[in-house]
Amino acid sequence: MSLVQCVMMLICVGISLYFGEVIMPFVIGVLAYAGVGGVLFGLGRDLKDQRVGRREGMLTVTSTWLLLSLLSTIPMMLSGATPRFVDAFLECISGFTTTGATIFSRVEHLSHGILFMRSLMQWQGGIGIVVFTVALVPMFGGGASQIFNAETTGITHERFLPRIADVAQRLCIVYVVETLVLIVLLVLGPMGLFDAVCHSLSCVSTGGYSTRDAGIAAYDSVYIEYVLSLFMYIGALNLTLIYFAFAGSPLKLLRDEEFRWFNIFIGATVIVTAIWLYSQGFYQDVEEAIRKSLFQVISLGSSTGFLTADITEWRPFFWMLGLQIMFINGCAGSTSGGLKVARFVLLMKNLYTEFKKQIYPHLFTPVKLNGKQLSISTVHQVLAFCVVYLMLIFAGSLLFMLDGNGFISSLSIACSAASNSGPGIGEYMSTIGPAGDFSKYLMAFLMLTGRLEVFTVLGILTPHFWKR
């Protein structure tokens, strides 16, 4: 993957050359990626026949995310964007995990090469660096599925092809097509080509980095808000089912239970928020209240994190709504983070079953999703995930408060980082730059753990993982 990243860095070199900017930081980045990639390729060249199990997949995924984030700090620091390693590392890992929380309070002073690199990191992270690797460099042999599963843990939908490399390739095609269509639509509005490319990379990946200090609000365009709302919504849907829809089987998407619940969840939140904003006098026009509600709810509910308003001013009622939609987020198999709607639906169904058992102790009511009965082990796995996910957020909140942050800021940034949503509430709404170094490393850990579905990272930290 380091060798593939050389190509990405060369694109940044081309961007910098086009705009007449300094290219040396990216050239050094290319050399660093090439050097590390060459060494790793040499070490692994004779290991193709080695068995790759789940532990190796978990370790490969986690180390890939960390390695690429670490190496990407080189051009970030050498370009003068930020001289501090902790800031550069947090910005890069926030990009690769598609969190979108930025250490910069202003970004328009950054070079075009750095602005493009930030968006490109999110675009790669959105499809999944490891899935991207499997599609382009299928050299993992039989172990590719273990690496793919480590990146996409959770409730999964039917696979449409037997070979994991074919799966990844077709998902990448859908991903690229979505990106190109969005670029065209944004260029048709009041947005230049460079900004359109960067925002498309960030939007399709549900990342959230922007090239403007004021974010999407800088364009003051109703057209752009509606277009981005649509593509953030698409980004929160299961990518496999989107492929089926494009391939001529839209009923697979429309009949999907998670898809229907996600629409109910987002639709209800949009309506409640719009009524709240209009009734409280935040907006005098009904259409504007609906549009702002639609944009921000989908932005938070897809873990994109684009902002067109100061949501901190929307008072505690919306803060709680915002935390709930950040906590649950989009569909399984999408580029969004969070708990995922499928797990939440399963959790509610299991809870309903337990209530019925209190009345009818001998009643056997299986938990079903999409009409299929789920095994007890699957239900237990989801319940365990929910408990660990909640513990991660609460533990993170306590540690943030220990570092001197306020209650609301600590809770919101812990939830935002673990769910890869981006913006917090309070002082960390638009930038995480003022946070202390301990809080920044903690954010990086939560971002990585949340992006890799919690168990992948936490499992590596247990003693049992390292036992033979």
Side-chain angles (χ1 to χ4, degrees):
M1 190 62 209
S2 292
L3 296 176
V4 174
Q5 196 65 16
C6 287
V7 178
M8 302 301 176
M9 284 292 106
L10 286 173
I11 298 175
C12 295
V13 170
I15 295 290
S16 296
L17 281 173
Y18 178 80
F19 287 100
E21 298 168 343
V22 177
I23 65 170
M24 192 52 63
F26 297 107
V27 171
I28 296 175
V30 169
L31 295 176
Y33 274 117
V36 173
V39 170
L40 294 176
F41 182 81
L43 292 174
R45 184 172 50 187
D46 300 325
L47 301 178
K48 291 183 180 180
D49 296 329
Q50 295 293 318
R51 181 179 178 274
V52 179
R54 186 160 185 81
R55 284 196 296 184
E56 288 79 7
M58 293 166 64
L59 193 59
T60 299
V61 169
T62 305
S63 59
T64 298
W65 240 272
L66 282 173
L67 179 63
L68 295 187
S69 298
L70 286 169
L71 291 177
S72 294
T73 62
I74 295 173
M76 186 73 69
M77 294 178 68
L78 293 180
S79 67
T82 176
R84 304 183 69 240
F85 170 77
V86 61
D87 288 337
F89 176 67
L90 182 57
E91 188 76 7
C92 292
I93 203 166
S94 179
F96 280 117
T97 59
T98 72
T99 304
T102 179
I103 58 102
F104 299 109
S105 58
R106 295 174 55 253
V107 295
E108 292 179 17
H109 69 287
L110 299 175
S111 69
H112 289 82
I114 290 295
L115 289 173
F116 182 79
M117 187 184 84
R118 292 167 76 241
S119 297
L120 188 61
M121 288 189 297
Q122 293 197 318
W123 191 76
Q124 291 177 263
I127 190 63
I129 297 175
V130 177
V131 177
F132 200 71
T133 303
V134 172
L136 295 181
V137 194
M139 58 178 63
F140 293 104
S145 61
Q146 296 295 337
I147 297 172
F148 182 89
N149 290 335
E151 198 279 333
T152 57
T153 351
I155 299 176
T156 57
H157 296 262
E158 58 180 306
R159 288 182 181 171
F160 50 90
L161 289 167
R163 295 182 65 246
I164 202 67
D166 291 337
V167 173
Q169 286 171 356
R170 279 153 180 77
L171 293 184
C172 285
I173 290 172
V174 174
Y175 197 66
V176 170
V177 169
E178 287 180 7
T179 306
L180 295 175
V181 170
L182 181 54
I183 290 173
V184 172
L185 290 176
L186 291 179
V187 169
L188 292 176
M191 189 180 285
L193 179 59
F194 178 78
D195 284 2
V197 171
C198 289
H199 283 99
S200 296
L201 297 177
S202 295
C203 180
V204 170
S205 63
T206 62
Y209 277 157
S210 177
T211 58
R212 304 295 292 271
D213 294 343
I216 304 304
Y219 299 98
D220 193 23
S221 169
V222 174
Y223 171 80
I224 285 179
E225 289 184 38
Y226 279 123
V227 168
L228 290 179
S229 294
L230 173 62
F231 277 82
M232 287 189 292
Y233 168 78
I234 294 173
L237 302 181
N238 185 291
L239 200 57
T240 303
L241 295 180
I242 293 175
Y243 170 85
F244 281 129
F246 284 162
S249 302
L251 289 180
K252 286 183 177 288
L253 175 64
L254 298 176
R255 290 173 179 171
D256 183 65
E257 189 172 357
E258 184 185 26
F259 171 74
R260 296 197 302 268
W261 276 107
F262 177 69
N263 287 331
I264 293 171
F265 173 60
I266 291 295
T269 308
V270 168
I271 292 170
V272 170
T273 302
I275 293 173
W276 166 257
L277 294 177
Y278 185 74
S279 65
Q280 297 298 308
F282 289 105
Y283 301 101
Q284 304 302 318
D285 182 67
V286 175
E287 185 277 332
E288 186 178 14
I290 294 174
R291 173 165 39 89
K292 296 297 182 182
S293 170
L294 179 72
F295 187 92
Q296 291 308 155
V297 168
I298 294 179
S299 180
L300 295 177
S302 64
S303 79
T304 307
F306 281 144
L307 296 172
T308 57
D310 185 352
I311 58 176
T312 302
E313 294 181 351
W314 289 4
R315 300 176 189 168
F317 176 76
F318 179 77
W319 300 352
M320 288 306 299
L321 281 180
L323 287 175
Q324 288 177 38
I325 55 182
M326 281 196 292
F327 178 81
I328 299 173
N329 252 301
C331 300
S334 70
T335 60
S336 59
L339 179 68
K340 303 294 191 303
V341 173
R343 290 195 184 102
F344 181 74
V345 170
L346 190 151
L347 193 66
M348 292 298 101
K349 287 188 173 185
N350 186 69
L351 184 62
Y352 176 68
T353 299
E354 292 302 320
F355 276 126
K356 290 177 69 175
K357 285 182 179 180
Q358 297 301 312
I359 304 172
Y360 307 104
H362 302 293
L363 179 68
F364 175 72
T365 308
V367 178
K368 296 182 178 181
L369 194 67
N370 286 321
K372 297 179 180 178
Q373 181 177 329
L374 299 177
S375 66
I376 298 297
S377 62
T378 299
V379 175
H380 287 172
Q381 183 184 17
V382 171
L383 292 175
F385 181 93
C386 294
V387 171
V388 175
Y389 184 56
L390 275 171
M391 291 174 61
L392 186 70
I393 292 174
F394 284 122
S397 300
L398 286 173
L399 291 173
F400 282 128
M401 284 184 263
L402 185 66
D403 199 36
N405 297 286
F407 175 77
I408 294 296
S409 296
S410 298
L411 181 60
S412 67
I413 200 61
C415 183
S416 176
S419 64
N420 307 122
S421 294
I425 295 170
E427 61 178 313
Y428 298 132
M429 187 196 73
S430 57
T431 176
I432 52 177
D437 286 356
F438 174 78
S439 291
K440 288 177 179 177
Y441 282 118
L442 178 58
M443 287 179 205
F445 173 76
L446 291 175
M447 290 173 188
L448 182 65
T449 305
R451 181 64 180 91
L452 299 182
E453 300 279 319
V454 181
F455 288 129
T456 301
V457 175
L458 295 185
I460 294 174
L461 302 179
T462 62
H464 296 288
F465 180 86
W466 301 99
K467 291 181 180 179
R468 297 185 62 86

